[in-house]
Amino acid sequence: DVKVTQSSRYLVKRTGEKVFLECVQDMDHENMFWYRQDPGLGLRLIYFSYDVKMKEKGDIPEGYSVSREKKERFSLILESASTNQTSMYLCASSLKLSLLWTTEAFFGQGTRLTVV
Amino acid sequence: KNEVEQSPQNLTAQEGEFITINCSYSVGISALHWLQQHPGGGIVSLFMLSSGKKKHGRLIATINIQEKHSSLHITASHPRDSAVYICAVTLGSNYKLTFGKGTLLTVNP
């Protein structure tokens, strides 16, 4: 059974803290993604990675960074958490079949982060 | 303007009804995805399609590339189908998904 696992379901952090959200997939996928989901705004892409040590900014990268040191793990880092980063964070992965084609995306269960 | 528009935003049905959720997109795509999200849960991929029609159990997804439109149908709906259904597209050679805002489906017994 394919799996994308996020390290925490619920997280509460204080303003200014450095926060790490971890995502691990066991499908040997090249592509990994971090999204945040907010009511009325839907899912928005923060960062994605199409290979180890490669990363690209998504639509809303401000205030975030990422790390992909190993193929199976993609970490999202909030350098200094702020209350407007309170959200549901979702990790996803997909297999790159060719330059133009990928498989369907597989999602983790999500991390609901509250910054107080 | 969002590149992916879904309708309706909210849908309430009685158990057994036939349900249709629509998705329109404004640019050329390489694939369209239908996703399901239960309350508090993660997202599950239902379909990925680039042409024609796919069926899985009581769920059917169709796409019309010329009209840039897709529909998700649920036959004989059941309360366990209650969830948010999200349409997403992959644009060209870009691996990123662009999402619609979702349709909240509630099926009453």
Side-chain angles (χ1 to χ4, degrees):
Chain A
D1 201 17
V2 297
K3 252 210 174 124
V4 178
T5 304
Q6 293 181 229
S7 52
S8 307
R9 287 296 302 274
Y10 300 94
L11 213 50
V12 181
K13 295 292 181 181
R14 293 197 180 279
T15 301
E17 275 194 75
K18 190 168 186 175
V19 181
F20 292 86
L21 301 183
E22 306 284 349
C23 176
V24 176
Q25 49 95 2
D26 63 1
M27 296 165 282
D28 203 33
H29 285 174
E30 289 85 2
N31 303 323
M32 295 188 76
F33 309 84
W34 274 107
Y35 298 93
R36 64 177 282 179
Q37 185 179 31
D38 300 288
L41 296 175
L43 280 134
R44 295 178 293 167
L45 180 66
I46 306 170
Y47 265 98
F48 74 102
S49 169
Y50 52 88
D51 206 345
V52 177
K53 297 195 187 291
M54 306 302 287
K55 60 186 179 186
E56 283 199 28
K57 293 180 180 179
D59 301 315
I60 51 163
E62 297 78 19
Y64 303 95
S65 62
V66 290
S67 172
R68 183 112 181 255
E69 295 296 317
K70 293 186 177 180
K71 192 175 186 180
E72 67 270 19
R73 186 179 295 270
F74 191 35
S75 303
L76 180 69
I77 303 153
L78 287 66
E79 295 290 342
S80 177
S82 64
T83 54
N84 63 13
Q85 293 178 309
T86 292
S87 186
M88 170 71 92
Y89 290 86
L90 287 144
C91 174
S93 73
S94 68
L95 180 68
K96 181 165 62 182
L97 299 174
S98 71
L99 191 61
L100 293 178
W101 198 245
T102 71
T103 62
E104 64 189 298
F106 295 87
F107 286 81
Q109 281 297 101
T111 296
R112 187 164 293 282
L113 172 67
T114 303
V115 182
V116 298
Chain B
K1 182 184 182 297
N2 199 22
E3 290 169 313
V4 182
E5 299 281 351
Q6 280 186 244
S7 62
Q9 280 189 304
N10 294 281
L11 183 56
T12 300
Q14 287 300 123
E15 184 173 356
E17 283 185 10
F18 180 83
I19 287 160
T20 296
I21 300 169
N22 295 300
C23 176
S24 297
Y25 51 93
S26 57
V27 295
I29 65 169
S30 57
L32 184 140
H33 307 249
W34 281 103
L35 310 167
Q36 180 192 57
Q37 185 176 33
H38 283 282
I43 293 173
V44 174
S45 176
L46 298 174
F47 295 103
M48 184 176 80
L49 63 166
S50 56
S51 64
K53 177 177 168 178
K54 286 192 176 180
K55 185 175 188 292
H56 186 249
R58 295 179 295 106
L59 272 59
I60 303 164
T62 63
I63 188 168
N64 184 319
I65 297 294
Q66 286 73 30
E67 295 186 4
K68 295 187 171 60
H69 181 268
S70 175
S71 293
L72 176 69
H73 305 287
I74 304 175
T75 61
S77 60
H78 191 276
R80 65 173 174 267
D81 296 326
S82 297
V84 175
Y85 291 84
I86 303 169
C87 172
V89 298
T90 314
L91 304 175
S93 62
N94 191 327
Y95 307 135
K96 299 185 292 186
L97 288 168
T98 300
F99 297 87
K101 297 204 174 155
T103 296
L104 174 61
L105 171 66
T106 305
V107 182
N108 294 316

